[in-house]
Amino acid sequence: MNVKILPLFLLISGMLHAQLQQKVDALAIAAEMQAGQLVFIAKDLNTGKTLASHDTQKRISPASTLKILTCYAAMDILGADHVFVTKVGASGKVNADGVLIGDLIIEAGGDPALESDDFMKEYGNGSPIAAQVMASLKARGIKSIQGNIIIDESIYSGEDIPDEWTWQDMGNYYAAGAHAFTYKENMFVAELQSTEQIGAVTRLRSVKPDQAGITFINEVTGAAIRGDEAYFYGAPGSKVMRLHGKIPLGEQSFTVKGAMPDPATSFKSELSSMFEKTGIKGLGMETESKVAKDIMGSTMVEEYLVLESPRLESLIAHTLMESDNLYAEHFLRQISRAKKGNGSTADGLEKLMEWCKEKGLNTGSITVKDGSGLSRGNAVTAEFMVALLERLSKETYFEAFKNGLPVAGRSGSMNRMGKGTSIEGKLWAKSGYIEGARGYVGYVLKGGSYTAFCMLAEDYLFSPTAMRLKMEEVMVEMGE
């Protein structure tokens, strides 16, 4: 009789894989999951073997894990060294009296990081952009300007937010539109003051930076709560923004973040105010946008200032670590700009699907409505996401990309996950969360080999915290 004896490491490996499958199955059949769904797959990228799986071909919301797709495509199409360029110049000459006979022109480059707190020091001398523009005028002896401020946003076309974003999200900082001219991440801060009376309407003390031409209607009340339950209603180009919801009682300076409806006008207002304080006169009050796309190439224009963003690789790392929706939407529009020349979200999505097919990915199983994952219309399969991760792992820039992801027990949204366990410092993942949906997509390093995994859930009855803890248990098991 022939008896086959399996090597010990194979026996142990099989047992561990069985334990992972049991952990996934237990979560899938939990009473709290009966009205919802869980999809999961873990694949050893060295052997190509699937270690555990569940409903790998079911479509489900990816939430912010979709950013891996957008960022990977941007890195591949635009290149790690790509930079966004903003130019400042004029349509005329400066006469002997220091008068600029013409308009001040700012050519927007679709830069999501312009005057961002995280990247401020990497632009010029690190001072505010308005101050750098003013310095460039003073360097040329300009004392007054005979024309207007023209902000050329023609690098982009179409709407500044994806079609399927909801009214509930628009107006809030995390749903800021990806305008061709973006600054301060298109975010403003409203300062509210509440009394000790429950239900009393709060006082809107200030809005910074100033949102010129915008009327704010404040209906936020004080309540016996601890956190921020206030939100904005408004859309790009809107002239009215409404504040709803609640903030804690007895707050003297409670801040709520909103999305600028018109960043170009906000910046123009800041610039005009700074010029007036420093004695430069004659600026017009009109801000024009969407002007001829080749205006800066005209012989009638002299460049005063050129501002370059950090390398795309750095911006992608920021996007993945901070789960920044604005940057992801800019990347999608820049893909359209690079591939089709018009910078629209719709064409960016079309080119994204073409790129997926070129990479050998099955686009028939997914629906993508934006670049960030905020749209409830997005749907992917676990099988697609792991195929994406596997393809990414073969790129020369894989390590740089992977290192931009949050690390279990160390950074970003994974900071509290897996601390003191086998996955601390050895699991890199993009998390995703929107109401009713949560997920994690990334890599685990074990025994010198990477495992790619996708775990997404929606419509569960667990609390958000309980769902996070259940998913953490599965990820820890992957590292055992």
Side-chain angles (χ1 to χ4, degrees):
M1 180 175 66
N2 293 324
V3 178
K4 293 183 178 180
I5 301 176
L6 293 176
L8 180 60
F9 78 89
L10 287 179
L11 289 172
I12 294 174
S13 176
M15 291 173 59
L16 292 175
H17 297 166
Q19 290 174 4
L20 174 60
Q21 187 66 61
Q22 290 171 7
K23 184 75 71 173
V24 172
D25 291 343
L27 177 56
I29 64 173
E32 293 86 349
M33 289 300 303
Q34 296 314 295
Q37 65 174 325
L38 172 75
V39 303
F40 179 87
I41 185 170
K43 182 176 182 179
D44 187 320
L45 297 184
N46 183 42
T47 66
K49 182 179 179 180
T50 296
L51 308 181
S53 64
H54 183 81
D55 283 345
T56 62
Q57 295 184 1
K58 276 193 174 181
R59 287 158 51 85
I60 192 170
S61 171
S64 281
T65 67
L66 188 69
K67 290 183 177 73
I68 291 179
L69 170 61
T70 307
C71 289
Y72 176 14
M75 182 83 91
D76 202 64
I77 294 169
L78 304 175
D81 293 328
H82 177 84
V83 294
F84 300 88
V85 181
T86 304
K87 297 178 181 179
V88 181
S91 64
K93 299 296 182 180
V94 181
N95 67 19
D97 296 322
V99 178
L100 171 59
I101 311 299
D103 299 316
L104 180 66
I105 300 169
I106 299 173
E107 184 187 56
D111 183 356
L114 192 67
E115 205 161 320
S116 158
D117 288 342
D118 290 321
F119 296 105
M120 187 83 162
K121 294 180 180 179
E122 298 193 43
Y123 288 85
N125 60 16
S127 64
I129 304 305
Q132 293 192 50
V133 172
M134 184 182 70
S136 73
L137 298 181
K138 284 191 170 184
R140 288 163 178 78
I142 296 174
K143 299 176 181 177
S144 63
I145 300 176
Q146 202 176 63
N148 296 313
I149 299 175
I150 297 176
I151 298 184
D152 175 7
E153 297 191 272
S154 60
I155 189 175
Y156 285 169
S157 63
E159 299 301 318
D160 292 316
I161 60 170
D163 291 341
E164 296 199 15
W165 280 10
T166 67
W167 182 239
Q168 184 179 10
D169 290 325
M170 287 187 292
N172 295 292
Y173 73 97
Y174 60 85
H179 298 256
F181 182 83
T182 285
Y183 93 116
K184 296 182 183 293
E185 298 185 342
N186 293 347
M187 182 179 70
F188 65 81
V189 177
E191 182 184 15
L192 300 172
Q193 181 180 29
S194 61
T195 67
E196 297 291 348
Q197 181 181 349
I198 293 176
V201 176
T202 60
R203 175 192 169 203
L204 178 60
R205 298 185 62 179
S206 66
V207 175
K208 295 178 181 178
D210 178 50
Q211 298 302 292
I214 307 299
T215 298
F216 287 89
I217 300 175
N218 177 30
E219 298 175 347
V220 175
T221 59
I225 58 175
R226 292 185 178 182
D228 177 6
E229 295 183 12
Y231 49 92
F232 288 92
Y233 281 128
S238 173
K239 297 299 181 184
V240 177
M241 294 201 74
R242 295 179 178 273
L243 289 82
H244 291 274
K246 303 171 184 178
I247 66 170
L249 299 171
E251 294 286 345
Q252 295 301 305
S253 180
F254 192 90
T255 57
V256 181
K257 296 180 288 186
M260 296 184 190
D262 187 354
T265 297
S266 178
F267 180 75
K268 189 265 180 180
S269 176
E270 180 181 336
L271 195 59
S272 296
S273 177
M274 183 173 289
F275 287 168
E276 288 171 6
K277 289 177 182 178
T278 56
I280 295 180
K281 302 177 181 179
L283 284 169
M285 295 308 293
E286 297 298 323
T287 300
E288 301 177 29
S289 61
K290 313 294 184 186
V291 299
K293 64 179 64 178
D294 62 348
I295 187 168
M296 291 301 289
S298 168
T299 56
M300 294 298 293
V301 174
E302 179 184 354
E303 290 182 6
Y304 291 174
L305 179 66
V306 177
L307 297 164
E308 290 190 351
S309 75
R311 296 169 64 246
L312 180 63
E313 183 179 305
S314 296
L315 300 184
I316 284 176
H318 165 89
T319 305
L320 296 171
M321 186 65 65
E322 303 298 330
S323 199
D324 200 310
N325 295 333
L326 177 68
Y327 286 59
E329 298 306 330
H330 269 290
F331 298 160
L332 186 62
R333 299 189 81 170
Q334 288 290 331
I335 288 171
S336 170
R337 178 73 179 171
K339 288 290 189 178
K340 206 162 183 177
N342 62 9
S344 76
T345 295
D347 286 333
L349 291 170
E350 176 186 317
K351 295 303 174 183
L352 183 62
M353 292 301 98
E354 290 179 6
W355 174 85
C356 285
K357 292 175 182 177
E358 291 170 2
K359 291 290 181 181
L361 301 169
N362 177 19
T363 59
S365 64
I366 66 171
T367 299
V368 181
K369 298 294 186 178
D370 63 13
S372 61
L374 185 59
S375 171
R376 272 64 172 178
N378 294 313
V380 300
T381 65
E383 194 172 78
F384 172 87
M385 294 303 286
V386 163
L388 179 75
L389 294 176
E390 185 172 16
R391 186 67 184 84
L392 172 59
S393 71
K394 298 175 182 177
E395 305 289 0
T396 57
Y397 47 79
F398 167 64
E399 286 294 331
F401 190 101
K402 182 210 69 181
N403 290 336
L405 290 165
V407 184
R410 303 282 176 83
S411 61
S413 60
M414 299 298 294
N415 182 52
R416 294 184 297 165
M417 306 284 278
K419 273 189 177 294
T421 72
S422 59
I423 63 171
E424 181 174 356
K426 295 182 179 180
L427 183 147
W428 297 259
K430 180 72 197 75
S431 64
Y433 176 77
I434 54 177
E435 187 174 1
R438 181 181 290 277
Y440 299 89
V441 176
Y443 302 93
V444 182
L445 180 62
K446 180 181 177 181
S449 176
Y450 284 109
T451 295
F453 72 92
C454 172
M455 177 167 49
L456 303 170
E458 65 182 8
D459 297 331
Y460 44 83
L461 298 179
F462 288 111
S463 70
T465 299
M467 190 72 236
R468 177 178 61 80
L469 292 174
K470 292 290 184 182
M471 290 180 146
E472 180 181 12
E473 290 177 9
V474 174
M475 286 187 282
V476 170
E477 188 65 45
M478 282 192 289
E480 296 295 337

